[in-house]
Amino acid sequence: MKEKRVRTRYAPSPTGSMHIGNLRSALYEYLIAKSQGGDFILRIEDTDQSRLVEGAIEKIYDTLKLAGIQHDEGPDVGGDYGPYVQSQRKDLYLPYALELVEKKQAYYCFCDKERLEELRKSQGHEGVKYDRHCLSLSDEEIKANLEAKVPFVIRQKMPQEGSVTYEDAVFGTITVPCSELEDQILIKSDGFPTYNFANVIDDHLMKITHVVRGSEYVSSTPKYILLYEAFGWDVPVFVHLPLITKEGGRKMSKREGDASFMDLVEKGYLPEAIVNYVALLGWSPRDNREIFSLQELAEAFDISGISKSPSVFDMEKLNWMNREYIRKLDMDSFHAKALPWYEKAGLYETNIDLSKVSKLLIERVEYFEQIPEMVDFLIKMPEDYDLNMFAHKKMKTTVENSVGFLEESLKALEPIEDWNVQTIEQALMDTVQRLGVKNGQILWPVRTAISGKQSTPGGAFEIADLLGKEETLSRMRISLIRLKNL
RNA sequence: GGCCCAUUGGUCAAGUGGUUAAGACAUCGCCCUUUCACGGCGGUAACAGGGGUUCGAAUCCCCUAUGGGUCACCA
C-alpha cells in the first residue's frame, strides 16, 4: 500500500471569533500535517445560513495569520480541490444524497417541524429518534409529493441491528450500538447539506486523510463511518481531541465570555506564547521541554502524545509562559509593543524617558495590559498612600526612623547636578556609609517616599532617575511632611 | 435518562506490570538583593473508591462514584 500524502483540514463555521479550543484544533491539524510533510487546508463550513456572522471569515484569517498557522489551500489562497467554502459547493451534495437514496441507504422525508415536534413530545424528553414515518412511503407517494413541491429532507437510513466500531487515533476502539443512531438528515429542506453530510463529502473530495476535531464528535462518528462505507470510500483516520475547559471543568464558550485568541492578544499576550501554551494543553512531547516555536512543534508533534482527558486552561501558567517569551524579546521590539500601553497609561504626557521604562519593565511584565497599573505612580504620586509602608522589618525601617533617613537622603540628593542613576546611587550610598546604616534603611524610605507603592518596576535609583531631580525631591518633601504630621 | 469517554498533587502532565510515582506552573521557606521581579536551594502536595488477575499493579479486568460529551432541518 502506498503512503498517502497527509492532508488535514480546519473546518470552522463562520459564527464568531475563534476561542481557544478552536485555535487548538487548528493548531493540531496544522501540526499533524506538517509533522508528516503534508498539507493543511482551510475550509469554511457555512451550511447553516441562519448563523452566519458578518466578518467572521476575516477574523478566522486574521487569527490564523497571527498565530502563524498558515494553510496551504483555502478560500483565499486557492488550491486544486476548491471551492473551499461550502455554500459555494451547494449543488454538489444533492447528487451524492440521491445516490444513497438509489442505494436504499437514504430516503426522502416530508415530515414537517410540527410533526417532529409532536413526536418528541409524545415520546418523552430526550433520546427520541425519528420514527421512520417516511421510510414506508411508496414511490408513487414520493413522486406525488415531489411534484407537489412539498418541502423535503433526505435522511440517512441507519442499520437496525449490530453496532459500529472504529479506531480512534486517540481514544482507541469506539463501539456504538446501531440502536443509538438516528436516521440523520443529510440534506436540509433549504437544499443545504447538514454539517455531518457535507463533511464526509468534502473530506473525501478533498482527500483528507486525518479528520481532526473536538471530542464532541466521538459519538456521531459511527454515522460518518456508515456514510463512507455506503459510498465505498476509504475511511480517514479520526483524531478526536479532548476538550479544553475553564476552571471548574466547564467547557469554554464564547457565550460566557471566555477568552478568545484575539482577546488574549489584545491583553498583551504574544501569539507565539499562546500557541506554545495551547499546544501543551492536551499534548505532551516525549521529553520535558516546554518552550517550542511553531517550527519546533511541527518537528516534535506526534499523535501518540495527545491525551484523552480534558484539560483546564490555566491563566497562571499562560502568564508564566508569556513572560518567558517577553523576556526573550529584544529591547526594540519590546519597546514597540509597550508603547501603546504607555500611551494608554498617560506616560506620553510626561517627560519620562520611555526607553528607560522599557528596560525596567521587560524583566517584570507578564502581559502588556499590566503596564498601566505598574507605571501609574510615575504620572501621579498616590497622595494618600499608607504611611505604614515605611515600616519594613527586613529593611530595618520604621515609620519613625524613616523621617531622619529621608532628611539625610534629601540632603545628599539636593546638590546633584548631573542627575542620573550613577550619581543618585553614589549620593545615596555615600549617605549609607556616612551614617553607618544598612542600605535598605536609606533606599527603602526613598523608594517609598517617591512612589507611594509597595513595589515598583525599579528600585530607588531607577525610580528617582525616571522622575527627574525636581519631581523626586518634591515627592520626598511632601512625604516627609506627611510623616512629620503623623 | 440511553449511549460514548475520561479519572495521577490546586493546574498542566510523564508513566504503558517491578520507579524513592518525573518535570512544569502555582504555593511555602531560605539565600541573593535598593522594593518587586529574576536567579539559586529546599519544602508541602497525587495514582477517585472497592473488588479481582498476578510473585508483583498508577499501569490489565469488573463494579461503584464523580466529571465530561452526545442524543437538532447547529456545527
Side-chain angles (χ1 to χ4, degrees):
Chain A
M1 202 172 102
K2 73 170 192 266
E3 280 291 300
K4 277 188 293 187
R5 183 180 180 83
V6 171
R7 288 169 61 83
T8 60
R9 107 269 117 137
Y10 173 53
S13 57
T15 56
S17 54
M18 264 173 86
H19 60 80
I20 294 300
N22 289 153
L23 175 76
R24 194 196 52 178
S25 293
L27 176 63
Y28 283 17
E29 283 149 8
Y30 171 87
L31 293 175
I32 287 171
K34 293 305 159 188
S35 64
Q36 299 178 68
D39 303 318
F40 172 61
I41 291 104
L42 173 65
R43 182 174 74 221
I44 303 297
E45 310 229 334
D46 57 350
T47 54
D48 185 352
Q49 296 291 299
S50 63
R51 292 213 312 173
L52 296 189
V53 173
E54 192 74 22
I57 297 184
E58 283 65 35
K59 247 184 207 167
I60 290 167
Y61 291 149
D62 292 347
T63 299
L64 253 23
K65 192 167 182 189
L66 251 182
I69 304 171
Q70 281 307 74
H71 45 283
D72 301 296
E73 297 167 27
D76 52 342
V77 298
D80 298 335
Y81 301 88
Y84 292 90
V85 177
Q86 285 183 333
S87 59
Q88 293 170 21
R89 303 167 67 83
K90 185 185 172 192
D91 297 335
L92 189 155
Y93 306 104
L94 186 58
Y96 283 102
L98 261 18
E99 180 185 332
L100 255 24
V101 171
E102 197 66 28
K103 289 179 174 170
K104 302 284 182 211
Q105 302 274 6
Y107 58 95
Y108 284 99
C109 171
F110 300 94
C111 294
D112 55 26
K113 293 199 172 151
E114 287 68 39
R115 192 182 109 74
L116 262 21
E117 188 58 35
E118 268 175 39
L119 189 65
R120 242 164 241 135
K121 266 188 213 156
S122 69
Q123 292 194 20
H125 321 297
E126 277 148 86
V128 180
K129 293 195 304 176
Y130 177 60
D131 64 355
R132 298 200 145 175
H133 178 260
C134 292
L135 180 58
S136 53
L137 257 32
S138 67
D139 290 350
E140 290 69 36
E141 286 172 304
I142 294 170
K143 204 175 160 197
N145 277 336
L146 254 21
E147 276 167 7
K149 297 263 191 277
V150 178
F152 68 90
V153 300
I154 293 179
R155 287 182 184 270
Q156 180 182 3
K157 187 177 154 196
M158 297 296 174
Q160 292 301 281
E161 292 175 351
S163 59
V164 181
T165 295
Y166 78 98
E167 282 299 315
D168 191 282
V170 351
F171 286 92
T173 309
I174 305 283
T175 301
V176 174
C178 291
S179 58
E180 288 300 313
L181 276 20
E182 186 180 33
D183 285 354
Q184 65 172 343
I185 291 174
L186 269 17
I187 300 289
K188 300 187 268 190
S189 57
D190 65 359
F192 276 89
T194 55
Y195 164 87
N196 294 308
F197 191 55
N199 228 267
V200 169
I201 305 296
D202 288 341
D203 283 343
H204 174 257
L205 260 22
M206 294 181 181
K207 295 194 160 54
I208 300 302
T209 57
H210 294 64
V211 172
V212 185
R213 76 239 289 205
S215 63
E216 63 265 34
Y217 293 102
V218 168
S219 44
S220 52
T221 298
K223 298 179 189 172
Y224 290 67
I225 306 278
L226 257 15
L227 245 16
Y228 280 99
E229 288 175 349
F231 283 115
W233 295 338
D234 284 346
V235 178
V237 177
F238 286 98
V239 183
H240 286 107
L241 272 17
L243 249 43
I244 296 179
T245 70
K246 54 189 163 190
E247 280 170 70
R250 290 271 151 198
K251 186 179 176 181
M252 302 256 272
S253 76
K254 25 193 166 186
R255 265 318 282 240
E256 291 175 45
D258 292 317
S260 71
F261 175 76
M262 282 302 186
D263 291 337
L264 293 173
V265 172
E266 277 164 23
K267 282 187 178 182
Y269 288 90
L270 302 176
E272 304 78 38
I274 304 172
V275 167
N276 191 158
Y277 174 66
V278 164
L280 262 21
L281 269 186
W283 173 78
S284 67
R286 293 183 193 290
D287 54 22
N288 263 329
R289 197 144 70 105
E290 296 208 275
I291 303 295
F292 288 91
S293 67
L294 190 59
Q295 175 64 31
E296 291 167 332
L297 281 172
E299 284 161 20
F301 200 82
D302 192 293
I303 294 176
S304 65
I306 298 175
S307 78
K308 298 185 204 180
S309 41
S311 40
V312 176
F313 188 87
D314 181 7
M315 269 295 182
E316 292 288 353
K317 185 130 189 190
L318 207 218
N319 286 345
W320 167 78
M321 187 161 290
N322 200 55
R323 186 169 57 189
E324 292 291 305
Y325 274 81
I326 284 181
R327 293 179 61 197
K328 283 195 298 189
L329 251 29
D330 60 71
M331 265 321 298
D332 288 346
S333 44
F334 175 84
H335 193 58
K337 289 179 198 298
L339 247 24
W341 298 95
Y342 293 155
E343 181 173 18
K344 192 169 286 185
L347 274 183
Y348 277 21
E349 280 99 75
T350 68
N351 294 322
I352 291 170
D353 186 334
L354 298 181
S355 64
K356 284 183 182 172
V357 177
S358 284
K359 286 197 182 82
L360 296 174
L361 250 28
I362 193 171
E363 296 294 329
R364 290 163 235 256
V365 170
E366 289 179 315
Y367 55 98
F368 287 92
E369 194 183 49
Q370 292 174 323
I371 289 181
E373 189 271 332
M374 290 173 91
V375 300
D376 58 358
F377 75 96
L378 291 172
I379 296 144
K380 190 170 182 300
M381 177 74 184
E383 276 166 16
D384 54 350
Y385 68 93
D386 185 359
L387 293 176
N388 287 318
M389 255 190 262
F390 281 99
H392 193 297
K393 202 174 163 201
K394 224 177 110 210
M395 298 296 126
K396 296 244 189 299
T397 60
T398 62
V399 175
E400 292 72 30
N401 70 19
S402 289
V403 176
F405 293 143
L406 271 181
E407 283 173 332
E408 292 295 334
S409 304
L410 202 47
K411 256 188 269 176
L413 293 172
E414 276 164 345
I416 297 181
E417 282 174 20
D418 184 14
W419 186 266
N420 61 48
V421 175
Q422 286 72 37
T423 55
I424 297 165
E425 176 172 358
Q426 193 166 32
L428 257 19
M429 292 312 280
D430 282 352
T431 308
V432 168
Q433 283 284 318
R434 188 161 53 79
L435 303 180
V437 296
K438 294 191 49 141
N439 294 354
Q441 291 183 291
I442 292 298
L443 303 176
W444 177 261
V446 170
R447 209 200 103 264
T448 304
I450 63 179
S451 69
K453 294 190 93 171
Q454 197 71 242
S455 74
T456 52
F461 314 140
E462 293 82 9
I463 302 301
D465 175 48
L466 281 177
L467 290 172
K469 182 176 179 182
E470 197 185 328
E471 180 67 16
T472 299
L473 298 185
S474 153
R475 289 186 179 195
M476 285 175 74
R477 290 184 187 116
I478 292 170
S479 290
L480 216 31
I481 290 168
R482 283 193 65 204
L483 276 173
K484 285 179 175 170
N485 286 344
L486 260 187

